[in-house]
Amino acid sequence: MLNDSDPQWETIGCIYVDAGLCWLGDPCYIMGDEASSRVKDWGKFVEALHKGSGTSAPLGEGVGVAVSTGWGDGKYPVEVKRRAGRVAEVRIVFIAEGEE
């Protein structure tokens, strides 16, 4: 058991990226025909992205955020920190130190 006073990052899996971005948000807002912010047109979604900053909320505030993956397509590890057995933080490293 990890010490909660000094939680460590634990690798829980990875994400594969083919769009050069990672989506962070509740899937119930964008998945399925009845979703309130369903992405119906990929082209329009891409047009709404803020390409210069690397981050945006293309479907509106609170729905989710799109984050550039730095290098673009690839495989990226997903890590969590747990406190009291619950996920407290999530980290995805797109460009590791020294890769700049």
Side-chain angles (χ1 to χ4, degrees):
M1 179 79 179
L2 295 175
N3 181 348
D4 271 356
S5 65
D6 184 26
Q8 302 295 310
W9 289 106
E10 164 193 353
T11 301
I12 60 165
C14 64
I15 60 170
Y16 292 93
V17 173
D18 286 320
L21 63 86
C22 174
W23 178 259
L24 303 168
D26 189 329
C28 76
Y29 292 122
I30 62 169
M31 299 294 294
D33 291 338
E34 302 301 317
S36 59
S37 297
R38 182 172 163 256
V39 175
K40 298 176 182 126
D41 184 310
W42 179 253
K44 287 181 182 176
F45 175 79
V46 171
E47 286 175 18
L49 296 172
H50 301 290
K51 297 183 188 323
S53 68
T55 63
S56 69
L59 300 177
E61 184 68 29
V63 177
V65 295
V67 180
S68 168
T69 56
W71 290 121
D73 299 349
K75 176 182 174 183
Y76 301 97
V78 178
E79 301 172 317
V80 298
K81 274 190 182 181
R82 299 178 191 272
R83 290 187 184 83
R86 298 175 68 184
V87 174
E89 298 178 50
V90 176
R91 174 171 74 179
I92 304 169
V93 177
F94 299 122
I95 302 173
E97 286 189 43
E99 283 188 316
E100 296 87 18

